[in-house]
């Protein structure tokens, strides 16, 4: 009986065109909700393969290709498409020089600083590989390309736009993410693999005036500073040390010039949790601290809390993850870690499965050059969202393609 690895070896795919495709995606990133050209490029590639029924413009620029290859289970493989407002500093010959206007109309540099270009390329190559090996498996394959992951809304937007009325409902949903790990390695785990994430803007109010007359004002900059310091005690003093939580102040804006006391300040907050009860505790603590500091400063108006993003925790189904682990271990041998560390990074991937109550599994794909990784200074290696994040194309690309194919074939193989 042919093994899953033998099926892949029976139809080797020349990855040279996909290396060029990756460089194209990397050089031409698009911000969340603006992935038009990227989506069109993906659709054109799937159309050339000739086997996929295409559904485009789902939840924005989302799209899905459906390959019906006889009776059997239905597997959904997912990649994300959007890039980040980051000025690329990698120095690569195919580095991005793109600038776009964001949702607020502000022009910003754009970069694939999170590896979504690699995700798309791997999934397109896997889509071709699984067409080439069609005689070895039976069932339905869905390749889904999701917009707006970085803002945590793309998966839900696709579901809300009738995704599962347009395509078959999958039995399992699978996805992967390139990470700061040794290139070509695969890491997964049963249970929670990625934390939940919430972001919010907190606006606090003061009474503006001249910098020389602070006694006539309520200084929102000082108020915000007290809040920032006090928030640091939530995780260290209110969350069980055996639990996981992170609270980060990512931005603080108050005033426009040196000698004017502003009338408001805005704090950008990001917090990560795994347990629902811990999330509720953190939210309650944030509100309690902000409101108390506003009262202590004599703020003339109550603060305003505006949620901006929410990502669910990524929970790998225990049974399905165990089955996949066996397949990954056989194919990748020592390059597979079945108990990779849980991360505080977050994804909206799980929504594609939880929306219809089916199991999902997510895994990590290493993208760091072997020589660099093996030096042992891993904390100095740029990671996701860094202006210097630059996964090596090989062997990252092949490992990512193989992982997607192995996952699908585990449940579709004849």
């Amino acid at each position: 009986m042919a093994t899953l690895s033998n099926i892949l070896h029976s139809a080797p795919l020349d990855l040279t065109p996909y290396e060029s495709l990756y460089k194209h995606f990397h050089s031409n990133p698009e911000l969340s909700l603006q992935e038009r050209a990227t989506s069109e490029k993906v659709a054109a590639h799937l159309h050339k393969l000739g086997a996929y029924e295409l559904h485009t413009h789902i939840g924005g620029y989302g799209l899905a290709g459906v390959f019906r290859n006889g009776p059997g289970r239905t597997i959904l493989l997912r990649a994300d498409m959007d890039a980040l407002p980051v000025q690329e500093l990698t120095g690569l010959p195919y580095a991005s020089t793109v600038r776009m206007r964001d949702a607020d109309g502000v022009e910003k540099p754009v970069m694939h600083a999170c590896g979504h270009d690699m995700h798309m390329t791997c999934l397109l190559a896997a889509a071709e590989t699984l067409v080439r090996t069609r005689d070895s498996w039976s069932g339905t394959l869905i390749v889904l390309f999701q917009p707006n992951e970085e803002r945590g809304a793309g998966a839900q937007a696709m579901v809300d736009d009738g995704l599962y009325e347009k395509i078959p409902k999958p039995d399992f949903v699978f996805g992967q993410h390139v990470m700061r790990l040794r290139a070509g390695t695969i890491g997964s785990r049963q249970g929670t693999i990625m934390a939940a994430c919430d972001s919010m803007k907190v606006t606090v109010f003061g009474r503006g005036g001249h910098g020389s007359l602070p006694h006539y004002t309520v200084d929102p900059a000082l108020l915000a500073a007290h809040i920032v310091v006090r928030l640091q005690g939530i995780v260290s003093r209110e969350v069980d040390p055996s639990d996981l939580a992170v609270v980060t102040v990512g931005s603080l804006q108050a005033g426009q010039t040196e000698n004017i006391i502003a009338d408001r300040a805005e704090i950008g907050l990001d917090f990560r949790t795994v347990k629902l009860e811990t999330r509720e505790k953190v939210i309650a603590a944030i509100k309690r601290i902000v409101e108390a500091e506003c009262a202590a400063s004599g703020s003339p108006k109550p603060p305003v809390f505006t949620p901006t993003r929410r990502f669910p925790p990524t929970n790998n189904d225990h049974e399905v993850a165990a089955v996949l682990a066996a397949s990954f271990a056989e194919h990748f041998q020592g390059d597979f870690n079945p108990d990779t560390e849980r991360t505080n990074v977050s994804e909206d991937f799980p929504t594609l499965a939880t929306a219809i109550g089916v199991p999902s599994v997510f895994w990590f794909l290493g993208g760091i050059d072997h020589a660099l990784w093996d030096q042992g200074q891993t904390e100095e290696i740029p990671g996701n969202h860094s202006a210097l994040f630059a996964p090596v194309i090989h062997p990252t690309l092949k490992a990512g393609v193989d992982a997607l194919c192995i996952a699908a074939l585990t449940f579709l193989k004849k």
Side-chain angles (χ1 to χ4, degrees), residues 334-369:
D335 285 330
F336 172 62
N337 179 1
D339 193 27
T340 195
E341 291 185 8
R342 186 176 59 196
T343 178
N344 291 332
V345 174
S346 301
E347 263 274 359
D348 68 344
F349 159 83
T351 300
L352 296 171
T354 58
I356 51 173
V358 301
S360 65
V361 176
F362 200 74
W363 58 87
F364 300 147
L365 167 65
I368 303 303
D369 177 74

Side-chain angles (χ1 to χ4, degrees), residues 174-177 186-188 193 324 328 361-365 403-404 407:
F174 300 136
Q176 64 183 0
H177 204 299
I186 301 295
S188 192
I193 188 170
L324 279 188
F328 284 160
V361 176
F362 200 74
W363 58 87
F364 300 147
L365 167 65
L404 291 167

Side-chain angles (χ1 to χ4, degrees), residues 111-341:
M111 175 192 175
H112 267 301
C114 200
H116 296 187
D117 44 356
M118 182 62 72
H119 303 167
M120 290 185 285
T121 308
C122 288
L123 184 51
L124 288 171
E128 179 175 354
T129 300
L130 289 165
V131 169
R132 293 160 64 94
T133 58
R134 64 196 305 167
D135 292 340
S136 300
W137 62 272
S138 182
T140 298
L141 174 69
I142 301 165
V143 290
L144 183 142
F145 296 82
Q146 180 202 310
N148 199 18
E149 185 278 330
E150 295 294 354
R151 303 306 302 169
Q156 189 64 56
M158 293 189 77
V159 171
D160 291 344
D161 198 23
L163 172 66
Y164 294 119
E165 297 166 10
K166 297 175 172 65
I167 67 172
K169 291 184 179 179
D171 294 297
F172 308 111
V173 176
F174 300 136
Q176 64 183 0
H177 204 299
V178 64
M179 299 289 273
R180 187 173 60 179
L181 298 169
R182 196 174 192 270
T185 60
I186 301 295
S188 192
R189 64 180 294 121
Q190 298 179 38
T192 303
I193 188 170
M194 303 178 86
C197 167
D198 291 80
S199 299
M200 68 170 67
K201 296 289 187 183
V202 179
T203 304
V204 296
F205 300 93
R207 185 165 57 246
H210 200 288
S212 66
L213 301 169
H215 54 296
Y216 290 132
T217 72
V218 174
D219 188 347
L222 182 60
L223 163 58
H226 283 300
I227 290 171
V228 171
V229 172
R230 190 64 184 265
L231 289 174
Q232 307 312 306
I234 294 176
V235 174
S236 66
R237 289 297 176 267
E238 299 190 40
V239 174
D240 186 328
S242 65
D243 197 2
L244 182 151
V246 175
V247 176
T248 298
V249 176
S251 65
L252 173 56
Q253 299 174 355
Q256 301 296 325
T257 191
E258 300 93 331
N259 64 341
I260 298 175
I261 293 175
D263 65 352
R264 68 187 62 198
E266 185 178 82
I267 303 168
L269 279 176
D270 178 275
F271 54 97
R272 314 281 170 132
T273 54
V274 171
K275 297 178 181 177
L276 180 60
E277 55 268 31
T278 305
R279 176 181 179 269
E280 297 302 322
K281 177 183 287 187
V282 170
I283 291 174
I286 290 170
K287 290 184 175 180
R288 184 191 74 238
I289 288 169
V290 171
E291 290 168 352
E293 290 292 350
C294 286
S297 294
S299 181
K301 290 198 295 185
V304 175
F305 301 89
T306 307
T308 55
R309 299 190 305 168
R310 183 177 182 187
F311 294 82
T314 301
N315 298 316
N316 285 343
D317 181 86
H318 283 263
E319 182 178 341
V320 180
V323 173
L324 279 188
S327 295
F328 284 160
E330 181 179 1
H331 181 78
F332 292 103
Q333 303 293 318
D335 285 330
F336 172 62
N337 179 1
D339 193 27
T340 195
E341 291 185 8

